[in-house]
Amino acid sequence: MPDKNALLNFLNLAADYLKTGHLAEGPLVEEQGLPLAYLIEEDENPEKGEDSLQAIAEEVADCRACPLCETRTLAVPGEGPERPLVMVIGEGPGADEDKAGRPFVGKAGQLLDRMLQSITLSREKNCFIANMVKCRPPGNRDPAQGEIEACFPFLRRQILLLKPMLILCAGRVSARSLLNTEQGINALRGQFIDLKIADSETGEEITIPVLPSYHPSALLRDESLKRPAWEDLKMLKSRLISLESLSLIEE
Ligand code: URA
């Protein structure tokens, strides 16, 4: 626990949860200038040192932590290699993903694959694809804050296991939730913002640069967003190149 404020914050949140069954909404964390990672503290993974993507996927499949489990066909844990360069985080499964149990397989997903391909990334080789919530919000509505918070421990464990060099947030919902901000996607996109996340095994904090960009569904609806989205992809690629060459030098 980094300091007294974080402890207070955590206790407030726990009290809210006990009262309402949901974690508090709003910028509680941001007001206190604390990164999201401090609130989602240790002990959410009981098997310290033994976590795995497979274990997370199995828990996700059986999860009943929020009402989305009532309406899902299949939960969608995410997919990709264990040592990805990049992790893409979307919003939540749609109808196609809910049937397939796989992320981004519908029209938006096909566009996402082509976008990644254009900068030599793919879910087969070097890119892990996940969502803020692992079950489909009915009617493709935005996931509720309580649903995002109930699901976050899974995503947190995935990020800590994968340790991607960079995270690409696909759209407003994931960018705002992950970075714990109220800002819109137009203000957030086109820049890297550090996400600090505490490693529950070592207690060390890791920092991963996050690039918010438009959701591929938004690009399908509005052609004019394609150019800025392409600029974002180019930023991602150049940052990757510099990080990769840095890690080669450090080795
Ligand atoms: N949209 C998302 O945000 N995620 C998916 O997996 C599919 C569509």
Side-chain angles (χ1 to χ4, degrees), residues 12-90:
N12 282 340
L13 215 69
D16 265 328
Y17 182 74
L18 289 173
K19 262 192 270 159
T20 64
H22 284 97
L23 294 176
E25 298 198 10
L28 177 68
V29 193
E30 204 176 57
E31 271 162 23
Q32 309 237 353
L34 295 170
L36 182 67
Y38 289 168
L39 279 183
I40 317 292
E41 264 293 337
E42 325 269 319
D43 297 330
E44 273 147 6
N45 168 21
E47 295 164 14
K48 282 189 181 174
E50 291 171 28
D51 208 5
S52 70
L53 293 173
Q54 181 62 29
I56 298 170
E58 284 166 15
E59 286 175 48
V60 164
D62 289 338
C63 179
R64 306 202 63 79
C66 86
L68 296 182
C69 66
E70 306 289 346
T71 46
R72 73 176 174 225
T73 309
L74 290 173
V76 181
E79 67 183 30
E82 283 183 13
R83 294 270 162 268
L85 296 175
V86 173
M87 181 171 189
V88 176
I89 304 179

Side-chain angles (χ1 to χ4, degrees), residues 76 89-98 102-109 112 123 129-133 140 170-171 173-174 215-217:
V76 181
I89 304 179
E91 180 177 319
D96 295 315
E97 292 76 20
D98 175 69
R102 297 180 55 215
F104 280 101
V105 292
K107 274 209 177 107
L112 176 67
R123 61 177 95 197
I129 309 212
N131 280 303
M132 285 310 297
V133 295
N140 293 347
V173 169
S174 66
H215 194 286
S217 317

Side-chain angles (χ1 to χ4, degrees), residues 9-249:
N9 228 342
F10 179 74
L11 292 174
N12 282 340
L13 215 69
D16 265 328
Y17 182 74
L18 289 173
K19 262 192 270 159
T20 64
H22 284 97
L23 294 176
E25 298 198 10
L28 177 68
V29 193
E30 204 176 57
E31 271 162 23
Q32 309 237 353
L34 295 170
L36 182 67
Y38 289 168
L39 279 183
I40 317 292
E41 264 293 337
E42 325 269 319
D43 297 330
E44 273 147 6
N45 168 21
E47 295 164 14
K48 282 189 181 174
E50 291 171 28
D51 208 5
S52 70
L53 293 173
Q54 181 62 29
I56 298 170
E58 284 166 15
E59 286 175 48
V60 164
D62 289 338
C63 179
R64 306 202 63 79
C66 86
L68 296 182
C69 66
E70 306 289 346
T71 46
R72 73 176 174 225
T73 309
L74 290 173
V76 181
E79 67 183 30
E82 283 183 13
R83 294 270 162 268
L85 296 175
V86 173
M87 181 171 189
V88 176
I89 304 179
E91 180 177 319
D96 295 315
E97 292 76 20
D98 175 69
K99 277 193 210 108
R102 297 180 55 215
F104 280 101
V105 292
K107 274 209 177 107
Q110 288 156 26
L111 175 58
L112 176 67
D113 281 338
R114 288 204 301 279
M115 289 162 60
L116 294 173
Q117 200 86 59
S118 72
I119 53 165
T120 66
L121 295 174
S122 73
R123 61 177 95 197
E124 290 79 24
K125 279 194 315 228
N126 47 20
C127 197
F128 193 94
I129 309 212
N131 280 303
M132 285 310 297
V133 295
K134 313 295 192 195
C135 299
R136 182 189 183 208
N140 293 347
R141 65 162 169 77
D142 284 356
Q145 182 71 12
E147 294 159 356
I148 291 175
E149 297 197 15
C151 213
F152 189 74
F154 292 126
L155 186 64
R156 179 179 175 279
R157 283 164 61 191
Q158 287 176 321
I159 295 172
L160 286 168
L161 274 171
L162 296 164
K163 293 192 174 58
M165 279 181 168
L166 298 173
I167 291 177
L168 175 67
C169 275
R172 169 183 55 90
V173 169
S174 66
R176 289 169 64 151
S177 318
L178 202 62
L179 298 168
N180 198 37
T181 172
E182 299 283 300
Q183 283 189 288
I185 191 65
N186 288 326
L188 288 170
R189 64 150 288 272
Q191 61 191 317
F192 285 96
I193 302 169
D194 280 348
L195 172 72
K196 290 181 190 303
I197 199 153
D199 188 319
S200 47
E201 244 179 69
T202 61
E204 270 172 49
E205 193 182 75
I206 60 169
T207 301
I208 304 177
V210 172
L211 178 65
S213 189
Y214 294 112
H215 194 286
S217 317
L219 306 184
L220 290 172
R221 284 194 304 270
D222 183 351
E223 284 274 316
S224 73
L225 299 180
K226 285 193 174 164
R227 164 139 324 248
W230 173 236
E231 297 300 328
D232 293 344
L233 283 180
K234 284 196 294 187
M235 273 185 85
L236 188 80
K237 182 68 182 171
S238 356
R239 184 73 171 248
L240 261 186
I241 291 171
S242 56
L243 286 174
E244 278 185 297
S245 34
L246 200 67
S247 65
L248 284 178
I249 294 166

